[in-house]
Amino acid sequence: ATQCIPTPGAWYAHQLPMFFHKLEVAATLWIEMPLTLLILAPFRAVARLAAASQILLQVLIIMTGNYTFFNALTIALCVPMLAG
């Protein structure tokens, strides 16, 4: 099964207005598709922005669902890009 185990915060996220859910979907698609490609950008500031956005998305996913360690792995891959 591919259904995640909801966290206590998932119920509250589910109760948000429909406009917010549409905004969430748009932000997720923006971060997951074009912004992720910017991790490979030759400019460090652009790559850092892409990595920070990916980390933010993964933290929000962790708050609303339990996808075991996949979110932590994504964060672990992005953290070195934020360093110096």
Coordinates of all heavy atoms in Angstrom, one line a residue:
A1 N 0.8 -1.2 0.0 CA 0.0 0.0 0.0 C 0.9 1.2 0.0 O 2.0 1.2 0.6 CB -0.9 0.0 1.2
T2 N 0.4 2.3 -0.6 CA 1.2 3.5 -0.7 C 0.6 4.6 0.2 O 1.1 5.7 0.1 CB 1.2 4.0 -2.2 OG1 -0.1 4.3 -2.6 CG2 1.9 3.0 -3.1
Q3 N -0.4 4.3 0.9 CA -1.0 5.3 1.8 C -0.1 5.6 3.0 O 0.4 4.7 3.7 CB -2.4 4.9 2.3 CG -3.1 5.9 3.1 CD -3.5 7.1 2.2 OE1 -3.7 7.0 1.0 NE2 -3.7 8.2 2.8
C4 N 0.2 6.8 3.3 CA 1.0 7.1 4.4 C 0.2 7.1 5.7 O -1.0 7.1 5.7 CB 1.7 8.5 4.3 SG 0.5 9.9 4.4
I5 N 0.9 7.0 6.9 CA 0.3 7.0 8.2 C 0.2 8.5 8.6 O 1.2 9.2 8.7 CB 1.1 6.2 9.2 CG1 1.2 4.8 8.7 CG2 0.5 6.3 10.6 CD1 2.2 3.9 9.5
P6 N -1.0 9.0 8.8 CA -1.1 10.5 9.1 C -0.6 10.8 10.5 O -0.7 9.9 11.4 CB -2.6 10.7 9.0 CG -3.3 9.4 9.1 CD -2.3 8.4 8.7
T7 N 0.0 11.9 10.7 CA 0.4 12.4 12.0 C -0.7 13.2 12.6 O -1.7 13.6 11.9 CB 1.7 13.3 11.8 OG1 1.3 14.5 11.0 CG2 2.8 12.6 11.1
P8 N -0.6 13.6 13.9 CA -1.6 14.4 14.5 C -1.8 15.8 13.8 O -2.9 16.3 13.7 CB -1.1 14.7 15.9 CG -0.2 13.5 16.2 CD 0.4 13.1 14.9
G9 N -0.8 16.3 13.2 CA -0.9 17.6 12.4 C -1.6 17.4 11.1 O -2.1 18.4 10.6
A10 N -1.8 16.2 10.6 CA -2.4 16.0 9.3 C -3.9 16.4 9.4 O -4.5 16.9 8.5 CB -2.3 14.5 8.9
W11 N -4.5 16.1 10.5 CA -6.0 16.4 10.7 C -6.2 17.9 10.6 O -7.1 18.4 9.9 CB -6.5 15.9 12.0 CG -8.0 16.2 12.1 CD1 -9.0 15.3 11.7 CD2 -8.6 17.3 12.7 NE1 -10.2 15.9 12.0 CE2 -10.0 17.1 12.6 CE3 -8.2 18.5 13.3 CZ2 -10.9 18.0 13.1 CZ3 -9.1 19.4 13.8 CH2 -10.5 19.2 13.6
Y12 N -5.3 18.7 11.2 CA -5.4 20.2 11.1 C -5.1 20.7 9.7 O -5.8 21.6 9.3 CB -4.4 20.8 12.2 CG -4.8 20.5 13.6 CD1 -4.1 19.5 14.3 CD2 -5.9 21.1 14.2 CE1 -4.5 19.2 15.6 CE2 -6.3 20.8 15.5 CZ -5.6 19.8 16.2 OH -5.9 19.5 17.4
A13 N -4.1 20.1 9.1 CA -3.8 20.5 7.7 C -5.0 20.2 6.8 O -5.3 21.0 5.9 CB -2.6 19.8 7.2
H14 N -5.7 19.1 7.0 CA -6.9 18.7 6.2 C -8.0 19.7 6.4 O -8.8 19.9 5.5 CB -7.3 17.3 6.6 CG -8.5 16.8 5.8 ND1 -8.4 16.5 4.5 CD2 -9.8 16.7 6.2 CE1 -9.6 16.1 4.1 NE2 -10.5 16.2 5.1
Q15 N -8.1 20.3 7.5 CA -9.2 21.3 7.8 C -9.0 22.7 7.2 O -9.9 23.5 7.3 CB -9.4 21.4 9.3 CG -9.7 20.1 10.0 CD -10.8 19.3 9.5 OE1 -11.9 19.9 9.1 NE2 -10.7 18.0 9.3
L16 N -7.8 22.9 6.6 CA -7.6 24.2 6.0 C -8.5 24.5 4.8 O -9.0 23.5 4.2 CB -6.1 24.3 5.6 CG -5.1 24.3 6.8 CD1 -3.7 24.1 6.2 CD2 -5.2 25.5 7.6
P17 N -8.7 25.8 4.5 CA -9.6 26.1 3.4 C -9.1 25.5 2.0 O -7.9 25.3 1.9 CB -9.6 27.6 3.4 CG -9.0 28.1 4.6 CD -8.2 26.9 5.2
M18 N -10.0 25.3 1.1 CA -9.6 24.8 -0.2 C -8.6 25.7 -0.9 O -7.7 25.1 -1.6 CB -10.9 24.7 -1.1 CG -10.6 24.0 -2.4 SD -9.8 22.4 -2.3 CE -11.1 21.4 -1.6
F19 N -8.6 27.0 -0.8 CA -7.7 27.9 -1.4 C -6.2 27.5 -0.9 O -5.3 27.5 -1.7 CB -8.0 29.3 -1.1 CG -6.9 30.2 -1.5 CD1 -6.7 30.6 -2.8 CD2 -6.0 30.8 -0.6 CE1 -5.7 31.4 -3.2 CE2 -4.9 31.6 -1.0 CZ -4.8 31.9 -2.3
F20 N -6.1 27.2 0.3 CA -4.8 26.8 0.9 C -4.3 25.5 0.3 O -3.1 25.4 0.0 CB -4.8 26.8 2.4 CG -3.5 26.7 3.0 CD1 -2.7 27.8 3.1 CD2 -3.0 25.5 3.4 CE1 -1.4 27.7 3.7 CE2 -1.7 25.4 4.0 CZ -0.9 26.5 4.1
H21 N -5.2 24.6 0.1 CA -4.8 23.3 -0.5 C -4.4 23.5 -2.0 O -3.4 22.8 -2.4 CB -6.0 22.3 -0.4 CG -6.3 21.8 0.9 ND1 -5.3 21.2 1.7 CD2 -7.4 21.9 1.7 CE1 -5.9 20.9 2.9 NE2 -7.1 21.3 2.9
K22 N -5.0 24.3 -2.7 CA -4.6 24.6 -4.1 C -3.2 25.3 -4.1 O -2.4 25.0 -4.9 CB -5.7 25.5 -4.8 CG -7.0 24.8 -5.0 CD -8.0 25.7 -5.7 CE -9.2 24.9 -6.0 NZ -10.2 25.7 -6.7
L23 N -3.0 26.2 -3.1 CA -1.7 26.8 -3.0 C -0.6 25.8 -2.7 O 0.5 25.9 -3.2 CB -1.8 27.9 -1.9 CG -0.6 28.8 -1.8 CD1 -0.3 29.6 -3.0 CD2 -0.8 29.7 -0.6
E24 N -1.0 24.9 -1.8 CA 0.0 23.8 -1.4 C 0.4 23.0 -2.7 O 1.6 22.6 -2.8 CB -0.6 22.8 -0.4 CG -0.8 23.4 1.0 CD -1.6 22.5 1.9 OE1 -2.5 21.7 1.3 OE2 -1.3 22.5 3.1
V25 N -0.6 22.6 -3.5 CA -0.3 21.8 -4.7 C 0.6 22.6 -5.6 O 1.5 22.0 -6.2 CB -1.7 21.4 -5.3 CG1 -1.4 20.7 -6.7 CG2 -2.4 20.4 -4.5
A26 N 0.2 23.8 -5.8 CA 1.1 24.7 -6.7 C 2.5 24.8 -6.2 O 3.5 24.6 -7.0 CB 0.4 26.0 -6.9
A27 N 2.7 25.0 -4.9 CA 4.0 25.1 -4.4 C 4.8 23.8 -4.5 O 6.0 23.8 -4.8 CB 3.9 25.5 -2.9
T28 N 4.1 22.7 -4.2 CA 4.7 21.4 -4.3 C 5.2 21.1 -5.7 O 6.3 20.7 -5.9 CB 3.8 20.3 -3.8 OG1 3.4 20.5 -2.5 CG2 4.4 18.9 -4.0
L29 N 4.3 21.3 -6.7 CA 4.7 21.1 -8.1 C 5.9 22.0 -8.5 O 6.7 21.6 -9.3 CB 3.5 21.3 -9.0 CG 2.4 20.2 -8.8 CD1 1.2 20.6 -9.7 CD2 2.9 18.9 -9.2
W30 N 5.9 23.3 -8.0 CA 6.9 24.2 -8.4 C 8.3 23.8 -7.7 O 9.3 23.8 -8.4 CB 6.6 25.6 -7.9 CG 7.6 26.6 -8.1 CD1 8.4 27.2 -7.2 CD2 8.0 27.1 -9.4 NE1 9.3 28.0 -7.8 CE2 9.1 28.0 -9.1 CE3 7.6 26.9 -10.7 CZ2 9.8 28.7 -10.1 CZ3 8.3 27.6 -11.7 CH2 9.3 28.5 -11.4
I31 N 8.2 23.3 -6.5 CA 9.5 22.9 -5.8 C 10.0 21.6 -6.4 O 11.1 21.4 -6.6 CB 9.2 22.8 -4.3 CG1 9.0 24.2 -3.7 CG2 10.4 22.1 -3.6 CD1 8.6 24.2 -2.3
E32 N 9.1 20.6 -6.6 CA 9.5 19.3 -7.1 C 9.9 19.2 -8.5 O 10.7 18.4 -8.9 CB 8.3 18.3 -6.9 CG 8.0 17.9 -5.4 CD 9.1 17.0 -4.8 OE1 9.8 16.3 -5.6 OE2 9.2 17.0 -3.6
M33 N 9.4 20.1 -9.4 CA 9.8 20.0 -10.8 C 10.9 21.0 -11.2 O 12.0 20.6 -11.2 CB 8.5 20.1 -11.6 CG 7.7 18.8 -11.5 SD 6.5 18.8 -12.8 CE 5.0 18.5 -11.9
P34 N 10.5 22.2 -11.4 CA 11.6 23.1 -12.0 C 12.6 23.5 -10.9 O 13.8 23.6 -11.2 CB 10.8 24.3 -12.5 CG 9.5 24.3 -11.7 CD 9.2 22.9 -11.4
L35 N 12.2 23.7 -9.7 CA 13.2 24.2 -8.7 C 14.2 23.1 -8.3 O 15.4 23.5 -8.0 CB 12.4 24.7 -7.4 CG 13.0 25.8 -6.6 CD1 13.4 27.0 -7.5 CD2 12.1 26.2 -5.5
T36 N 13.8 21.9 -8.4 CA 14.8 20.8 -8.1 C 15.9 20.8 -9.1 O 17.0 20.5 -8.7 CB 14.0 19.4 -8.0 OG1 13.0 19.5 -7.0 CG2 15.0 18.3 -7.7
L37 N 15.6 21.1 -10.3 CA 16.6 21.1 -11.3 C 17.7 22.2 -11.1 O 18.8 22.1 -11.5 CB 16.0 21.3 -12.7 CG 15.2 20.2 -13.2 CD1 14.5 20.5 -14.5 CD2 16.0 18.9 -13.4
L38 N 17.3 23.2 -10.3 CA 18.2 24.3 -10.0 C 19.3 23.9 -9.0 O 20.3 24.6 -8.8 CB 17.5 25.5 -9.5 CG 16.6 26.2 -10.6 CD1 15.9 27.4 -9.9 CD2 17.4 26.6 -11.8
I39 N 19.1 22.7 -8.4 CA 20.2 22.2 -7.5 C 21.5 22.0 -8.3 O 22.6 22.1 -7.8 CB 19.7 20.9 -6.8 CG1 18.6 21.2 -5.8 CG2 20.9 20.1 -6.2 CD1 18.0 20.0 -5.1
L40 N 21.3 21.7 -9.6 CA 22.5 21.5 -10.4 C 23.1 22.8 -11.0 O 24.0 22.8 -11.8 CB 22.1 20.6 -11.6 CG 21.6 19.2 -11.1 CD1 21.1 18.4 -12.3 CD2 22.6 18.4 -10.4
A41 N 22.5 23.9 -10.6 CA 22.9 25.2 -11.2 C 24.4 25.5 -10.8 O 24.8 25.2 -9.7 CB 22.0 26.3 -10.7
P42 N 25.1 26.2 -11.7 CA 26.5 26.5 -11.4 C 26.7 27.6 -10.4 O 27.8 27.8 -9.8 CB 27.1 26.9 -12.7 CG 25.9 27.4 -13.5 CD 24.7 26.6 -13.0
F43 N 25.6 28.3 -10.1 CA 25.7 29.4 -9.1 C 25.3 28.9 -7.7 O 24.2 28.4 -7.6 CB 24.8 30.6 -9.5 CG 25.1 31.0 -10.9 CD1 24.2 30.8 -11.9 CD2 26.2 31.8 -11.2 CE1 24.5 31.2 -13.2 CE2 26.5 32.2 -12.5 CZ 25.6 31.9 -13.5
R44 N 26.1 29.1 -6.7 CA 25.9 28.5 -5.4 C 24.6 29.1 -4.8 O 23.9 28.3 -4.1 CB 27.1 28.8 -4.5 CG 26.9 28.2 -3.1 CD 28.2 28.2 -2.3 NE 29.3 27.4 -2.9 CZ 29.5 26.1 -2.6 NH1 28.6 25.5 -1.8 NH2 30.5 25.5 -3.1
A45 N 24.4 30.4 -5.0 CA 23.2 31.0 -4.3 C 21.9 30.3 -4.9 O 20.9 30.1 -4.1 CB 23.2 32.5 -4.6
V46 N 21.9 30.1 -6.2 CA 20.7 29.4 -6.8 C 20.5 28.0 -6.3 O 19.4 27.6 -5.9 CB 20.8 29.5 -8.3 CG1 19.6 28.7 -9.0 CG2 20.8 30.9 -8.8
A47 N 21.6 27.3 -6.2 CA 21.6 25.9 -5.7 C 21.1 25.9 -4.2 O 20.4 25.0 -3.8 CB 22.9 25.2 -5.9
R48 N 21.6 26.8 -3.5 CA 21.2 26.9 -2.0 C 19.7 27.2 -1.9 O 19.0 26.6 -1.1 CB 22.0 28.0 -1.3 CG 23.3 27.6 -1.0 CD 24.0 28.7 -0.2 NE 25.3 28.3 0.2 CZ 26.2 29.1 0.8 NH1 25.9 30.4 1.0 NH2 27.4 28.7 1.1
L49 N 19.2 28.1 -2.7 CA 17.7 28.3 -2.7 C 16.9 27.1 -3.0 O 15.9 26.8 -2.4 CB 17.4 29.5 -3.7 CG 15.9 29.7 -3.9 CD1 15.3 30.3 -2.7 CD2 15.7 30.6 -5.1
A50 N 17.4 26.4 -4.0 CA 16.7 25.1 -4.4 C 16.8 24.1 -3.3 O 15.8 23.4 -3.0 CB 17.3 24.6 -5.7
A51 N 17.9 23.9 -2.7 CA 18.1 23.0 -1.6 C 17.2 23.4 -0.4 O 16.6 22.5 0.2 CB 19.5 22.9 -1.2
A52 N 17.2 24.7 0.0 CA 16.4 25.1 1.1 C 14.9 24.9 0.8 O 14.2 24.5 1.8 CB 16.7 26.6 1.4
S53 N 14.5 25.1 -0.4 CA 13.1 24.9 -0.7 C 12.7 23.5 -0.6 O 11.7 23.1 -0.1 CB 12.8 25.4 -2.1 OG 13.1 26.8 -2.3
Q54 N 13.6 22.6 -1.0 CA 13.4 21.2 -0.9 C 13.3 20.7 0.5 O 12.5 19.9 0.9 CB 14.5 20.4 -1.7 CG 14.2 18.9 -1.9 CD 13.0 18.6 -2.7 OE1 12.1 18.1 -2.2 NE2 13.0 19.0 -4.0
I55 N 14.2 21.2 1.4 CA 14.2 20.9 2.8 C 12.9 21.4 3.4 O 12.3 20.7 4.2 CB 15.4 21.5 3.5 CG1 16.7 20.8 3.0 CG2 15.3 21.5 5.0 CD1 18.0 21.4 3.5
L56 N 12.5 22.6 3.1 CA 11.2 23.1 3.6 C 10.0 22.2 3.3 O 9.2 21.8 4.1 CB 10.9 24.5 3.1 CG 9.6 25.1 3.5 CD1 9.5 25.3 5.0 CD2 9.4 26.4 2.8
L57 N 10.0 21.8 2.0 CA 8.9 20.9 1.6 C 8.9 19.6 2.3 O 7.9 19.1 2.8 CB 9.0 20.7 0.0 CG 8.0 19.7 -0.5 CD1 6.6 20.3 -0.4 CD2 8.3 19.4 -2.0
Q58 N 10.1 19.0 2.5 CA 10.2 17.8 3.2 C 9.8 17.9 4.6 O 9.2 17.0 5.2 CB 11.7 17.2 3.1 CG 12.1 16.9 1.6 CD 11.1 16.0 0.9 OE1 10.7 15.0 1.4 NE2 10.9 16.3 -0.3
V59 N 10.2 19.0 5.3 CA 9.8 19.2 6.7 C 8.2 19.3 6.8 O 7.6 18.7 7.7 CB 10.4 20.4 7.3 CG1 9.8 20.8 8.6 CG2 11.9 20.1 7.5
L60 N 7.6 20.0 5.8 CA 6.2 20.1 5.8 C 5.5 18.7 5.6 O 4.5 18.4 6.2 CB 5.7 21.1 4.8 CG 6.1 22.5 5.1 CD1 5.7 23.4 4.0 CD2 5.4 23.0 6.4
I61 N 6.1 17.9 4.7 CA 5.6 16.6 4.5 C 5.7 15.7 5.8 O 4.8 15.0 6.1 CB 6.3 15.9 3.3 CG1 5.9 16.6 2.0 CG2 6.0 14.4 3.2 CD1 6.7 16.2 0.8
I62 N 6.8 15.8 6.4 CA 7.1 15.1 7.7 C 6.0 15.4 8.7 O 5.5 14.6 9.5 CB 8.5 15.3 8.2 CG1 9.5 14.6 7.3 CG2 8.6 14.8 9.7 CD1 10.9 15.0 7.7
M63 N 5.6 16.7 8.8 CA 4.6 17.2 9.7 C 3.2 16.6 9.5 O 2.4 16.5 10.4 CB 4.6 18.7 9.8 CG 5.8 19.3 10.4 SD 5.9 21.1 10.2 CE 4.4 21.6 10.8
T64 N 2.9 16.2 8.2 CA 1.6 15.8 7.9 C 1.5 14.3 7.5 O 0.4 13.8 7.4 CB 1.0 16.6 6.7 OG1 1.9 16.5 5.6 CG2 0.9 18.1 7.1
G65 N 2.6 13.6 7.4 CA 2.5 12.2 7.0 C 3.8 11.5 7.3 O 4.8 12.1 7.3
N66 N 3.7 10.2 7.6 CA 4.8 9.4 7.9 C 5.2 8.6 6.7 O 4.6 7.5 6.4 CB 4.5 8.5 9.1 CG 5.7 7.7 9.5 OD1 6.8 7.8 8.9 ND2 5.6 6.8 10.5
Y67 N 6.2 9.0 6.0 CA 6.7 8.3 4.8 C 8.1 7.6 5.2 O 9.0 7.6 4.4 CB 6.9 9.2 3.6 CG 5.6 9.7 3.1 CD1 5.1 10.9 3.5 CD2 4.9 9.0 2.1 CE1 3.9 11.4 2.9 CE2 3.8 9.4 1.6 CZ 3.3 10.6 2.0 OH 2.1 11.1 1.5
T68 N 8.2 7.1 6.4 CA 9.4 6.5 7.0 C 10.6 7.4 6.8 O 10.6 8.5 7.3 CB 9.6 5.1 6.4 OG1 9.9 5.2 5.0 CG2 8.4 4.2 6.6
F69 N 11.7 6.9 6.2 CA 12.9 7.7 6.2 C 13.2 8.4 4.9 O 14.2 9.0 4.8 CB 14.1 6.7 6.5 CG 14.2 5.6 5.5 CD1 15.0 5.7 4.4 CD2 13.5 4.4 5.7 CE1 15.1 4.7 3.5 CE2 13.6 3.4 4.8 CZ 14.4 3.6 3.7
F70 N 12.3 8.4 3.9 CA 12.5 9.0 2.6 C 12.7 10.5 2.7 O 13.6 11.0 2.0 CB 11.5 8.6 1.6 CG 11.4 7.1 1.4 CD1 10.3 6.3 1.8 CD2 12.5 6.5 0.7 CE1 10.3 5.0 1.5 CE2 12.5 5.1 0.4 CZ 11.4 4.4 0.9
N71 N 11.9 11.1 3.6 CA 12.0 12.6 3.7 C 13.4 12.9 4.4 O 14.0 13.9 4.0 CB 10.9 13.1 4.5 CG 9.5 12.8 3.9 OD1 8.9 11.9 4.4 ND2 9.2 13.4 2.8
A72 N 13.8 12.1 5.4 CA 15.0 12.4 6.0 C 16.2 12.2 5.1 O 17.2 12.9 5.1 CB 15.2 11.5 7.2
L73 N 16.1 11.2 4.2 CA 17.2 11.0 3.2 C 17.3 12.2 2.2 O 18.4 12.6 1.9 CB 16.9 9.7 2.4 CG 17.2 8.4 3.1 CD1 16.7 7.3 2.2 CD2 18.6 8.3 3.5
T74 N 16.1 12.7 1.8 CA 16.2 13.9 0.9 C 16.8 15.1 1.6 O 17.6 15.8 1.1 CB 14.7 14.2 0.5 OG1 14.2 13.1 -0.2 CG2 14.7 15.4 -0.5
I75 N 16.4 15.3 2.9 CA 17.0 16.4 3.7 C 18.5 16.2 3.8 O 19.3 17.1 3.7 CB 16.3 16.5 5.1 CG1 14.9 17.0 4.9 CG2 17.1 17.4 6.0 CD1 14.0 16.9 6.1
A76 N 18.9 14.9 4.1 CA 20.4 14.7 4.3 C 21.1 15.0 3.0 O 22.3 15.4 3.1 CB 20.6 13.2 4.7
L77 N 20.5 14.7 1.9 CA 21.2 15.0 0.6 C 21.3 16.5 0.3 O 22.2 17.0 -0.4 CB 20.5 14.3 -0.6 CG 20.6 12.8 -0.6 CD1 19.7 12.2 -1.6 CD2 22.1 12.4 -0.9
C78 N 20.3 17.3 0.8 CA 20.3 18.7 0.6 C 21.1 19.5 1.6 O 21.6 20.6 1.2 CB 18.8 19.2 0.6 SG 17.8 18.7 -0.8
V79 N 21.3 19.1 2.8 CA 22.0 19.8 3.8 C 23.4 20.2 3.3 O 23.9 21.3 3.5 CB 22.0 19.1 5.1 CG1 23.0 19.6 6.1 CG2 20.6 19.1 5.7
P80 N 24.2 19.3 2.7 CA 25.6 19.7 2.3 C 25.6 20.9 1.3 O 26.6 21.6 1.3 CB 26.2 18.4 1.7 CG 25.4 17.3 2.3 CD 24.0 17.9 2.5
M81 N 24.5 21.0 0.6 CA 24.5 22.1 -0.4 C 24.3 23.5 0.3 O 24.6 24.5 -0.3 CB 23.4 21.9 -1.4 CG 23.7 20.8 -2.4 SD 22.4 20.6 -3.6 CE 21.3 19.5 -2.7
L82 N 23.9 23.5 1.5 CA 23.7 24.7 2.3 C 25.0 25.2 2.9 O 25.1 26.3 3.3 CB 22.6 24.6 3.3 CG 21.2 24.2 2.8 CD1 20.3 24.0 4.0 CD2 20.7 25.3 1.9
A83 N 25.9 24.3 3.1 CA 27.2 24.6 3.8 C 28.1 25.4 2.9 O 28.1 25.3 1.7 CB 27.9 23.3 4.2
G84 N 28.9 26.2 3.5 CA 29.8 27.1 3.0 C 30.3 27.3 1.7 O 30.8 27.8 1.0

